[in-house]
Amino acid sequence: QQPVQSPQAVILREGEDAVINCSSSKALYSVHWYRQKHGEAPVFLMILLKGGEQKGHEKISASFNEKKQQSSLYLTASQLSYSGTYFCGTASGGYQKVTFGTGTKLQVIP
Amino acid sequence: EAQVTQNPRYLITVTGKKLTVTCSQNMNHEYMSWYRQDPGLGLRQIYYSMNVEVTDKGDVPEGYKVSRKEKRNFPLILESPSPNQTSLYFCASSFWRDRSYEQYFGPGTRLTVT
């Protein structure tokens, strides 16, 4: 079953923060996060494994609550380059078989 | 330069005419995957491979075949394409190293089946 992402879309001003949530109805082993700009291939951001470890990647970090089957992506002090569609991908039996959410469209404006 | 290449990048074909989309990576990665992307449906995984001769189905494998005879190549085969396979296809390769995971996508193949 497809994970649910929220919000579906968000507009930020440069420097503002955002949180994108990903929720699954299944027990999860891993959560993957991606960003895709229009007309381009997805770019892998990070993977979080069962264990609730928070990971960071410059000003983008994420957490994974395996008990709630939820993950959140945190974008801090957003930059124009953060604009794009963010997808979460979830895996239950490992980390290679991944089901993707429908995406969150994020636009950062000056 | 780390690279995943796909060929062709664009293809228009007719129903029933067998085709192969090639995917090649130069990073010696164990894991490779194929995805399709459709408006309103997002990304969906077709097949993945954990290593040479090891492949498994993703969420939407019907109508597709894959093979992994060499580590660097992971072709996607459509034996009898149908219009509902019109889509944007991405190949990706990935690896674990020193507790760190990375994944790289190819540029995509836009397929139209008439």
Side-chain angles (χ1 to χ4, degrees):
Chain A
Q1 195 162 357
Q2 196 172 32
V4 177
Q5 284 185 237
S6 63
Q8 289 186 326
V10 58
I11 299 175
L12 298 174
R13 292 204 176 273
E14 263 186 300
E16 291 182 338
D17 302 341
V19 180
I20 298 172
N21 299 302
C22 176
S23 181
S24 175
S25 59
K26 297 169 71 171
L28 300 177
Y29 178 82
S30 64
V31 179
H32 311 220
W33 284 98
Y34 303 84
R35 176 172 61 213
Q36 185 177 29
K37 294 184 182 284
H38 184 69
E40 298 181 8
V43 172
F44 171 78
L45 295 176
M46 65 188 78
I47 185 173
L48 298 102
L49 299 180
K50 191 173 172 180
E53 182 186 345
Q54 181 154 351
K55 299 202 75 171
H57 189 46
E58 296 178 344
K59 292 180 182 174
I60 300 174
S61 62
S63 63
F64 176 24
N65 186 325
E66 64 195 71
K67 288 181 183 172
K68 292 187 177 180
Q69 293 138 218
Q70 293 175 346
S71 177
S72 295
L73 185 72
Y74 307 95
L75 298 103
T76 306
S78 57
Q79 306 167 14
L80 294 174
S81 61
Y82 286 5
S83 294
T85 300
Y86 289 78
F87 294 98
C88 69
T90 58
S92 295
Y95 55 88
Q96 286 301 318
K97 184 170 183 178
V98 178
T99 301
F100 293 88
T102 48
T104 295
K105 199 166 187 176
L106 185 140
Q107 184 181 2
V108 181
I109 57 175
Chain B
E1 181 194 350
Q3 214 171 17
V4 178
T5 55
Q6 293 180 227
N7 281 293
R9 295 287 313 279
Y10 303 90
L11 179 61
I12 300 174
T13 190
V14 295
T15 300
K17 187 177 180 183
K18 181 180 179 179
L19 66 94
T20 299
V21 184
T22 65
C23 174
S24 184
Q25 49 100 359
N26 64 357
M27 297 164 281
N28 203 38
H29 288 172
E30 286 84 11
Y31 315 120
M32 296 186 76
S33 288
W34 274 104
Y35 308 90
R36 60 178 291 176
Q37 187 171 34
D38 304 286
L41 295 175
L43 274 164
R44 292 179 291 170
Q45 190 178 45
I46 304 170
Y47 270 96
Y48 62 97
S49 170
M50 301 290 280
N51 214 324
V52 175
E53 303 290 3
V54 182
T55 63
D56 209 343
K57 297 176 182 177
D59 285 337
V60 289
E62 297 80 18
Y64 304 95
K65 280 176 60 176
V66 292
S67 69
R68 186 100 182 268
K69 294 187 171 58
E70 306 167 279
K71 204 170 189 180
R72 63 183 292 123
N73 296 322
F74 191 41
L76 180 70
I77 302 154
L78 286 74
E79 296 266 358
S80 183
S82 62
N84 64 12
Q85 293 178 297
T86 292
S87 188
L88 178 59
Y89 291 88
F90 291 104
C91 175
S93 72
S94 55
F95 75 106
W96 278 104
R97 182 161 61 203
D98 299 331
R99 296 170 55 87
S100 178
Y101 183 82
E102 288 291 340
Q103 185 176 34
Y104 296 89
F105 282 78
T109 295
R110 189 167 289 281
L111 173 66
T112 302
V113 183
T114 62

